[in-house]
Amino acid sequence: MDRALRGEIPARFSGELFVRPAEIADDPAIAGVARDVLQRNGVAADRGRLRRILHGLHETLFTAWERCTTVADLAAALESLLALLAEHGRLEEYPPNLAVVERLLETARELAGSLIAGERFAPSELFRLLRERVEEEVVSFSGSPLAGVQVLGLFETRALDFDTVVMMDVNESVLPRLRVHEPLIPRDVMLALGLDRLEREEEIQRYQFTRLVAGGRDVHLVYRVGGDAERSRFIETLVWERERVCARDGGAAGVMHPIRWSFAFAPLPAARPIPKTEEIVGVLRSMRYSASAVDTYLNCPLRFHYQYVLRLREAQEPGEEPGSGDIGTFLHDLLRERYAPFVGKKLRIDAAFRRAFMRELDRRFDEQVEPRMRADAFMVHDIVRYRMERFLDAEERRLEDAPVRVAAVEKEYAGTLGVDGESVAFRARIDRVDLVDGTTPLILDYKSGSAAKAPRLPVEVPSADVRRVLKETMHSFQLPVYIHCHGALRGAIPDAALYSLREPEELSFLFEGIPQGERRKLVGGALEALRALIREVFDPAVPFAPDDGEPTYCGICPYQSLCR
């Protein structure tokens, strides 16, 4: 199901946010994949049987509950679910599961035999009744009553005495625990009938508390202080009685001083550096490095380890709304599709191109983005359209300055870099390469976010603490890696720029106004810095250490839970 919703399996409902159970059961792709998985595990099953199983599951888990109009219907749906779990589940492998099912079955039978079983209620009221009824149930731990520590609820101590008693959370709202509202009968009605259930319930809990305390030789009552926490009225009664006794015996009012304990909750320690084993160093030497991989190591070696060495990927939840990264991918795909016909031709941004561009944007958004979003999809759509209109305006102004011929769109380039006698492989997928005035190459890298950093040149190669120094001085190796993989070092050094899709008017060039001879020196210096960084990557004495110097970067890191 997860794979089908994400579009990995070509089901009829792929990419949809809302799906009917019948669509899932009747989709041949789902039944086919399930059959293949079962056959690989030695279980024979045909599509018809799998379809019937899915329909049965949907009936028990969804449809039967949707049809509930009376308490008897609710009890029948619950019993049907419990029967399914008992017949096909694995309840016997964990004894508490059996106890929970037994208690739920008792609840279902109580509801079915109640005086209101045939009364009709709104579905929301029925489900609230069941939820509140189940919340009252307690499944106790079974222990030996003759030895060891007994973990018991207050009412489980009836008729039992203990030498040592430790009672936790003796605070108001916990002890006594009183429910003001009943799911069926309003409190005002109960008071009008002379049924003050709250007073009676408090008396019962006070009796159990007093009896347990009186029967123990060593009693510890633990409660929280501070904020809205107040110690229980039962403790206040004990304190008042004890102080009265002290005042009577000593002639002066005695004051009790409870023992105070405080607990300091220190945050979990930061992630420890991960050492580089010989196997890991071998993997590092054989990798093909992208500009993103280099920048990831520059910002946080530990994230580089998780993302590029271990290749851990964040699981996408089915039905999860698209994030900023998904919108960026959507825009990159749109620009690739609309600019690909201009490869080898002169770029033209006219009214016909704009209309076709916006029609394609609307179509793709309706198919790929809107089904995964909630009511605010129209706002995202308007923002995307507005930014793309500004982008096309900026493109049109560029064409007024000089004619542009598109040389490549989303093309992958490869290159190598010599590091201490070794050839390190690099690859770069460049969003777009333009030929300005028909001859001068311009490498463009689209950026849909706001955190893009252009490299700062020239850069000096540090002699120590290479990564940290380069992070502060170089910022990013993306454009130098693109220039190197483009192969331009064999000829003229092209210019390059980060093209912000948020602020397309602010296109800043890496080498604007810098002559070719100086450009070659700047790129050569950047590659020397890259060699120094790669040496550190290969160095087994330098572990993959976390870098938490930028809270914003850590906040969007998908591996932040592994750093604690």
Side-chain angles (χ1 to χ4, degrees), residues 400-474:
E400 293 174 358
D401 297 335
V404 171
R405 185 179 297 272
V406 179
V409 172
E410 286 275 352
K411 184 176 180 180
E412 185 159 324
Y413 296 84
T416 59
L417 183 69
V419 180
D420 298 335
E422 291 188 55
S423 182
V424 181
F426 282 84
R427 59 183 176 85
R429 181 177 290 275
I430 300 177
D431 291 334
R432 200 168 108 204
V433 179
D434 287 350
L435 295 177
V436 184
D437 288 329
T439 57
T440 307
L442 172 62
I443 295 174
L444 296 174
D445 184 61
Y446 300 133
K447 294 296 180 184
S448 58
S450 58
K453 291 183 178 180
R456 295 176 59 183
L457 301 177
V459 60
E460 294 184 4
V461 180
S463 57
D465 206 359
V466 175
R467 186 198 64 83
R468 185 188 62 80
V469 175
L470 289 178
K471 177 184 176 182
E472 296 175 356
T473 57
M474 184 72 178

Side-chain angles (χ1 to χ4, degrees), residues 167-172 175 209 221-223 231-232 235:
M167 195 176 300
M168 306 298 296
D169 278 342
V170 192
N171 287 87
E172 282 293 312
L175 190 68
F209 172 83
L221 304 178
V222 183
Y223 56 90
R231 64 185 182 185
S232 170
I235 293 183

Side-chain angles (χ1 to χ4, degrees), residues 11 52 188 350 356 391:
R52 290 192 297 273
D188 293 340
D350 53 18
F391 172 80

Side-chain angles (χ1 to χ4, degrees), residues 21-26 49-60 63:
E23 294 181 71
I24 300 172
D26 294 333
R49 183 186 175 194
L50 292 172
R51 190 177 298 112
R52 290 192 297 273
I53 291 174
L54 279 177
H55 276 294
L57 284 173
H58 294 156
E59 168 66 24
T60 304
T63 312

Side-chain angles (χ1 to χ4, degrees), residues 392-549:
L392 294 179
D393 291 341
E395 288 280 86
E396 195 168 359
R397 285 192 293 271
R398 286 184 59 223
L399 295 179
E400 293 174 358
D401 297 335
V404 171
R405 185 179 297 272
V406 179
V409 172
E410 286 275 352
K411 184 176 180 180
E412 185 159 324
Y413 296 84
T416 59
L417 183 69
V419 180
D420 298 335
E422 291 188 55
S423 182
V424 181
F426 282 84
R427 59 183 176 85
R429 181 177 290 275
I430 300 177
D431 291 334
R432 200 168 108 204
V433 179
D434 287 350
L435 295 177
V436 184
D437 288 329
T439 57
T440 307
L442 172 62
I443 295 174
L444 296 174
D445 184 61
Y446 300 133
K447 294 296 180 184
S448 58
S450 58
K453 291 183 178 180
R456 295 176 59 183
L457 301 177
V459 60
E460 294 184 4
V461 180
S463 57
D465 206 359
V466 175
R467 186 198 64 83
R468 185 188 62 80
V469 175
L470 289 178
K471 177 184 176 182
E472 296 175 356
T473 57
M474 184 72 178
H475 291 332
S476 171
F477 281 96
Q478 186 164 29
L479 294 183
V481 169
Y482 281 6
I483 292 172
H484 178 65
C485 290
H486 184 260
L489 290 180
R490 294 188 292 270
I493 303 295
D495 206 345
L498 299 178
Y499 207 161
S500 173
L501 300 181
R502 290 191 174 195
E503 303 293 339
E505 300 86 0
E506 300 177 3
L507 182 63
S508 57
F509 299 94
L510 187 63
F511 299 129
E512 188 171 16
I514 298 178
Q516 281 292 323
E518 187 65 24
R519 290 185 185 185
R520 191 172 298 277
K521 292 180 182 178
L522 293 176
V523 174
L527 294 181
E528 282 301 320
L530 180 58
R531 287 188 179 93
L533 188 67
I534 294 297
R535 291 189 188 99
E536 180 179 301
V537 173
F538 291 170
D539 189 352
V542 181
F544 295 111
D547 186 338
D548 56 0

Side-chain angles (χ1 to χ4, degrees), residues 151-224:
V151 181
L152 303 171
L154 182 62
F155 289 97
E156 293 175 301
T157 64
R158 291 189 297 266
L160 297 177
D161 290 331
F162 299 91
D163 290 338
T164 302
V165 176
V166 179
M167 195 176 300
M168 306 298 296
D169 278 342
V170 192
N171 287 87
E172 282 293 312
S173 77
V174 178
L175 190 68
R177 189 174 187 85
L178 305 174
R179 289 204 322 163
V180 177
H181 302 288
E182 279 288 343
L184 292 178
I185 306 176
R187 174 166 168 74
D188 293 340
V189 175
M190 296 188 68
L191 291 176
L193 296 174
L195 302 175
D196 192 351
R197 182 187 56 81
L198 293 182
E199 184 176 344
R200 176 66 173 167
E201 183 65 27
E202 181 178 343
E203 290 177 0
I204 294 173
Q205 295 185 38
R206 184 185 297 275
Y207 168 77
Q208 296 294 341
F209 172 83
T210 305
R211 196 207 61 78
L212 180 62
V213 171
R217 296 180 182 178
D218 187 15
V219 179
H220 303 268
L221 304 178
V222 183
Y223 56 90
R224 293 177 293 111

